[in-house]
Amino acid sequence: MSSSINISFLATFILVSLLFSIPRTITATLDPNSPELLTDACTTGYNAKGWNASFCLEIVKSNPQIVLAKDLLHLTLSIIETGLINATRTQIYIEEKLKGDIQESRRALDQCHNLYDHIICVYKGALLHVEKQKLYDAAGAEFSIAAHNVEYCENWLNISGIIDADISGGNKIIKYLSLLGYNVVNNLMLTDWIIKRK
């Protein structure tokens, strides 16, 4: 009898502790029309080297679909769609570069092209996992893969001595969208868990 009381007390303590330690982003989504949603999404919980919250806000505010997101689910879906558009645009740019006489940089551009193939695939996977299957943890892993892939592309450019503002700019946008998506989908997963426990 006393062990069941101890377990109940422990479970209650953990739940209350969890509720008081919820990140502000999650709290903002419990009030769906919160103006803090985008700001919190770009500023809460990042340990990434060189993270620039102002640049993150610039990216998200430049996309009306992201700005109009009413909750974490819609914000996540908007991030995925924006990532797909930007990844496709960068990949098309790389394809055009590959058509030119670029023997000294072909290997690096081929690698970046292949990495962008993979980025587009994982973003499509994230879309499926969030929209249809509610597998938020899988989507988080896919965002992480995409963020690493653009770093690999950037490393290939650096190793080959290629300076290309369009590819590097595309890499930076995808990196920010991927890290933002990772953070937001993890908050979505936690929010979903809290709501299901009520």
Side-chain angles (χ1 to χ4, degrees):
M1 180 85 156
S2 75
S3 68
S4 66
I5 291 172
N6 289 341
I7 292 173
S8 296
F9 178 74
L10 181 61
T12 303
F13 176 75
I14 291 171
L15 182 60
V16 169
S17 298
L18 181 63
L19 289 175
F20 282 112
S21 65
I22 296 174
R24 286 181 8 190
T25 305
I26 293 172
T27 305
T29 61
L30 297 177
D31 174 16
N33 296 318
S34 172
E36 298 174 346
L37 185 61
L38 291 180
T39 302
D40 289 345
C42 279
T43 58
T44 304
Y46 292 99
N47 295 324
K49 182 180 176 185
W51 181 260
N52 183 335
S54 298
F55 182 72
C56 176
L57 282 169
E58 185 180 314
I59 292 171
V60 297
K61 288 182 176 180
S62 69
N63 185 306
Q65 189 175 8
I66 293 176
V67 171
L68 296 173
K70 61 184 181 182
D71 56 28
L72 286 173
L73 175 61
H74 290 94
L75 180 57
T76 303
L77 293 172
S78 298
I79 290 167
I80 293 169
E81 291 169 10
T82 303
L84 278 168
I85 291 167
N86 280 280
T88 302
R89 184 179 304 138
T90 302
Q91 186 182 47
I92 289 169
Y93 175 82
I94 294 169
E95 287 171 359
E96 291 301 315
K97 293 280 286 187
L98 284 166
K99 291 178 183 175
D101 184 25
I102 43 113
Q103 293 308 318
E104 68 282 350
S105 59
R106 179 166 295 283
R107 184 164 183 220
L109 292 176
D110 279 337
Q111 290 296 325
C112 284
H113 186 269
N114 292 338
L115 289 164
Y116 268 91
D117 267 344
H118 195 230
I119 291 166
I120 291 167
C121 286
V122 297
Y123 264 85
K124 287 179 180 178
L127 182 61
L128 175 69
H129 288 129
V130 170
E131 190 173 46
K132 304 281 187 214
Q133 300 170 337
K134 309 301 183 214
L135 295 173
Y136 305 130
D137 55 341
E142 287 158 335
F143 282 125
S144 180
I145 291 167
H148 283 88
N149 280 357
V150 292
E151 286 183 8
Y152 298 146
C153 174
E154 197 62 31
N155 288 340
W156 272 102
L157 296 178
N158 291 335
I159 289 168
S160 301
I162 299 171
I163 299 172
D164 191 302
D166 291 316
I167 298 173
S168 293
N171 287 343
K172 186 174 181 181
I173 289 170
I174 293 298
K175 178 181 177 179
Y176 271 77
L177 287 171
S178 298
L179 294 174
L180 177 64
Y182 177 83
N183 198 31
V184 171
V185 80
N186 283 324
N187 287 338
L188 175 60
M189 182 170 51
L190 184 56
T191 302
D192 189 55
W193 180 82
I194 291 169
I195 290 170
K196 286 179 181 176
R197 297 297 178 260
K198 286 185 177 182

